[in-house]
Amino acid sequence: MNWEQPQSAGAVPAAPPSPSTSDASASSAPSANAAAYDQPSPDAPEADHDSKHEMKKSPASKETDPEPEPIKLAEPVWCDWNLKKVETECDGATETGEYKALTNTKTPWLNLDNSQRIGGGSFPTTFELLYEPDTKTLTASVRVKIIPVDLIKADSTGQAILDCDGRKQSVPYENSAHWRNVANGVGSPFAGLVMEYRDAAGSNVDLVALKRQVEATLNGHKSQLILAGYSKAASCGCRVKVRFNVTFLLSVKNCHVGEYHKEIWLFPKTDRADAASWGESNFDPIPKDPNRYVSLSEMNIVHTNAVICLIIPMNTGRSAVLFTVTI
């Protein structure tokens, strides 16, 4: 994130909020509400009264230092750094890499030529950043649209194939087998299956509780941001708290729910979920129960990781800030 010139790229489909002016007015006095450790004493020998020109060391580029090591903060010196409110929609790409894929039983997932399949990779993402000067807090927010759907057996025209009792036959979503059904969209049959909207999410789905779980995980990092390239390094007195916020928006039959950053398809059951397709019940076998399924809330780590993928680009900017670890 470049604090001098914050990004203002409009996220799609989310529209950018009303513009806010950023001003790295380093020589202005700190906010009266700033935390005490931000201004221990302006008269101290190590105090920095000219933080605007304090970038004495050029931070390493992302290409030469793709994953900089967090640093442990030391006792801060007084610093006059200040910034007006910034609110902007950002876009970028996740830093998720490729990996050797495994099956549900944790064995190598092989291609027809016996080579191991490669999964993962980077994908585009959007999110919102809000900097609040009174509390020196940077909040990264993502709004996720949740659409309840089902995968059912169908003929080549998309008509449901009913069982002997006249009911539709639901099939658990499995990433490797059904990703193309999701890519084709609702109502487009493929390989004997079709995706269709449901009238509601299951009674066991509690998106409010899921929000609490995900945010508790994301905000447990106890890390802060300081000025990058700062000559006083870990003693930098500019300390910005980082907070993550996620909002889940339930969209029954793809109804309008306002602006959002990401769509998630919610199936009744999944054998292998992925970042874009979740299950209310998810296959999670253990030795004592190889056919075990667990609820959406019990798969918190999976969905937390998916949300991290959506907002992790906030840590990729090196021109003015560095992610650090507090004492």
Side-chain angles (χ1 to χ4, degrees):
M1 179 72 180
N2 187 331
W3 291 93
E4 296 289 345
Q5 296 178 336
Q7 299 178 42
S8 186
V12 179
S18 57
S20 298
T21 303
S22 66
D23 178 18
S25 51
S27 59
S28 60
S31 165
N33 296 327
Y37 63 67
D38 287 328
Q39 42 183 329
S41 173
D43 300 320
E46 294 298 314
D48 185 359
H49 296 274
D50 191 21
S51 62
K52 187 174 183 179
H53 301 96
E54 188 50 59
M55 299 295 184
K56 309 216 184 291
K57 296 181 293 182
S58 178
S61 68
K62 181 180 176 183
E63 288 71 26
T64 60
D65 188 19
E67 296 183 9
E69 287 294 326
I71 63 174
K72 186 174 182 179
L73 296 178
E75 188 72 21
V77 300
W78 185 89
C79 180
D80 67 350
W81 183 88
N82 195 21
L83 181 71
K84 291 183 179 179
K85 181 178 179 180
V86 177
E87 186 174 10
T88 183
E89 292 281 344
C90 303
D91 59 8
T94 65
E95 294 185 350
T96 48
E98 295 182 340
Y99 58 88
K100 292 183 177 180
L102 301 177
T103 67
N104 282 335
T105 57
K106 311 301 182 184
T107 57
W109 187 2
L110 302 179
N111 293 306
L112 294 178
D113 62 359
N114 285 329
S115 62
Q116 188 166 0
R117 291 192 180 191
I118 301 299
S122 179
F123 58 89
T125 185
T126 58
F127 57 99
E128 178 185 292
L129 280 183
L130 170 65
Y131 175 71
E132 299 171 286
D134 288 345
T135 58
K136 286 195 173 181
T137 301
L138 180 68
T139 302
S141 300
V142 63
R143 295 180 294 277
V144 183
K145 180 179 178 180
I146 305 289
I147 308 173
V149 292
D150 201 356
L151 196 60
I152 62 171
K153 293 182 179 181
D155 60 24
S156 59
T157 68
Q159 287 294 112
I161 298 176
L162 306 181
D163 63 14
C164 58
D165 295 321
R167 295 176 298 188
K168 293 180 180 180
Q169 302 179 72
S170 178
V171 175
Y173 173 82
E174 204 278 341
N175 166 264
S176 61
H178 305 135
W179 66 268
R180 193 178 295 276
N181 294 93
V182 171
N184 287 349
V186 170
S188 299
F190 177 77
L193 299 171
V194 68
M195 189 167 68
E196 66 175 22
Y197 293 123
R198 289 188 285 151
D199 293 330
S203 59
N204 64 330
V205 175
D206 187 345
L207 295 181
V208 175
L210 185 62
K211 170 185 170 71
R212 286 197 299 265
Q213 287 180 318
V214 171
E215 289 183 348
T217 303
L218 293 175
N219 292 317
H221 56 82
K222 298 181 180 179
S223 300
Q224 298 179 355
L225 297 172
I226 63 173
L227 295 175
Y230 191 63
S231 63
K232 303 186 190 314
S235 294
C236 176
C238 163
R239 307 216 170 163
V240 175
K241 297 182 286 293
V242 178
R243 190 174 73 88
F244 297 100
N245 176 65
V246 57
T247 300
F248 294 114
L249 306 167
L250 185 62
S251 173
V252 175
K253 295 189 176 180
N254 203 25
C255 68
H256 179 70
V257 291
E259 299 170 355
Y260 62 92
H261 297 106
K262 182 71 175 179
E263 277 185 347
I264 299 293
W265 303 102
L266 182 63
F267 293 88
K269 183 178 286 189
T270 63
D271 280 350
R272 188 184 182 105
D274 55 46
S277 301
W278 296 357
E280 294 175 8
S281 296
N282 300 270
F283 185 61
D284 187 32
I286 56 176
K288 292 183 179 180
D289 188 359
N291 297 311
R292 185 177 76 133
Y293 282 80
V294 298
S295 68
L296 182 70
S297 60
E298 291 176 281
M299 293 291 287
N300 177 42
I301 186 62
V302 172
H303 308 304
T304 299
N305 287 341
V307 173
I308 290 173
C309 287
L310 298 178
I311 59 181
I312 200 65
M314 70 165 293
N315 293 332
T316 63
R318 306 292 168 77
S319 59
V321 292
L322 176 67
F323 204 58
T324 64
V325 178
T326 56
I327 298 174

